[in-house]
Amino acid sequence: MINYFKEIFAGLWTLLVGLKLTARYAVAPTVTCHYPYQTLPITPNFRGHTDLVIDPETASDKCIVCMMCENTCPSQCIEVIGEKPEGSKKKVLTAYRLDFTKCSLCGNCVEVCPTSALEYSGDYQLAGYSRHEFHFELLERLRGRVKAQGIVPRPKPAPPEGGAEAEAKPRKVRPKAEEAPAASLEPKGEEAPKAEAKPGE
Ligand code: SF4
Ligand code: SF4
């Protein structure tokens, strides 16, 4: 009989301990985030898929269609397409396709780009029903970002007075080879030729 009451008491005690813990954490400050309704700021070093950098002067891309990123990509997941507008000597980017299903985020394309036209996006909420949803057209994405952020082209600063000449820095002039002091052709003391031995000596 005593054991029966002991068990009831032990059960009630564990129930009270559990309720005490529940009550403590019910009023404690929240340390979690209500994802996906809330998101946390991510570190600037986060590597999402690559994206084209927006040039603030043109509100467009900085790509010069050199193809270095496409050629250096070990996963062959980049396709750069450009064309020369009429009367222009330089190509302009018309499409930049990235197959993110194959990208290993190695960063080669970002590092090799001579105009720093590529960066990592902070996009970590990638989900889809088909792999085709991860075939990105980065130029279209860039135009969407420009529109969403309301970026307008920033005019280039006016050149300083005096034109390009004022900007030019004085060049260092190297001394020519003929002006350099001629090396002495006289033999040094230790290197003087020995006197020839006379016959019979
Ligand atoms: S990060 Fe690497 S694998 Fe991904 S597109 Fe760039 S070069 Fe290719
Ligand atoms: S390396 Fe840079 S500039 Fe060259 S094609 Fe790629 S993104 Fe454009």
Side-chain angles (χ1 to χ4, degrees), residues 62-69 80 96 112-115 117-118:
K62 294 164 80 178
C63 178
I64 54 172
V65 199
C66 67
M67 314 301 282
M68 285 176 76
C69 54
V80 181
Y96 193 108
V112 81
C113 180
T115 57
L118 292 169

Side-chain angles (χ1 to χ4, degrees), residues 95-119:
Y96 193 108
R97 294 182 189 136
L98 170 70
D99 181 356
F100 191 52
T101 60
K102 292 199 261 173
C103 174
S104 59
L105 286 171
C106 67
N108 283 358
C109 54
V110 176
E111 282 172 31
V112 81
C113 180
T115 57
S116 304
L118 292 169
E119 64 182 352

Side-chain angles (χ1 to χ4, degrees), residues 64-79:
I64 54 172
V65 199
C66 67
M67 314 301 282
M68 285 176 76
C69 54
E70 184 177 321
N71 293 334
T72 202
C73 176
S75 311
Q76 299 181 347
C77 54
I78 299 173
E79 189 184 358

Side-chain angles (χ1 to χ4, degrees), residues 24-44:
R24 188 197 298 170
Y25 286 105
V27 293
T30 311
V31 292
T32 52
C33 161
H34 293 273
Y35 182 84
Y37 306 108
Q38 286 178 336
T39 51
L40 295 174
I42 55 163
T43 164

Side-chain angles (χ1 to χ4, degrees), residues 15-151:
L15 183 66
L16 285 173
V17 170
L19 282 174
K20 185 185 159 193
L21 278 175
T22 307
R24 188 197 298 170
Y25 286 105
V27 293
T30 311
V31 292
T32 52
C33 161
H34 293 273
Y35 182 84
Y37 306 108
Q38 286 178 336
T39 51
L40 295 174
I42 55 163
T43 164
N45 291 335
F46 177 78
R47 282 190 181 192
H49 64 79
T50 53
D51 237 344
L52 288 168
V53 172
I54 300 172
D55 183 352
E57 284 178 359
T58 60
S60 184
D61 61 274
K62 294 164 80 178
C63 178
I64 54 172
V65 199
C66 67
M67 314 301 282
M68 285 176 76
C69 54
E70 184 177 321
N71 293 334
T72 202
C73 176
S75 311
Q76 299 181 347
C77 54
I78 299 173
E79 189 184 358
V80 181
I81 302 168
E83 64 178 24
K84 275 186 194 170
E86 233 179 87
S88 172
K89 287 183 182 172
K90 290 180 184 172
K91 277 188 174 180
V92 294
L93 186 69
T94 53
Y96 193 108
R97 294 182 189 136
L98 170 70
D99 181 356
F100 191 52
T101 60
K102 292 199 261 173
C103 174
S104 59
L105 286 171
C106 67
N108 283 358
C109 54
V110 176
E111 282 172 31
V112 81
C113 180
T115 57
S116 304
L118 292 169
E119 64 182 352
Y120 301 107
S121 72
D123 201 351
Y124 66 93
Q125 304 190 78
L126 291 175
Y129 294 100
S130 135
R131 62 194 165 92
H132 300 295
E133 291 178 46
F134 302 98
H135 293 183
F136 300 133
E137 215 296 73
L138 298 191
L139 189 58
E140 268 178 26
R141 279 177 59 91
L142 176 135
R143 287 175 184 146
R145 279 157 52 218
V146 167
K147 204 172 166 186
Q149 294 173 26
I151 299 171

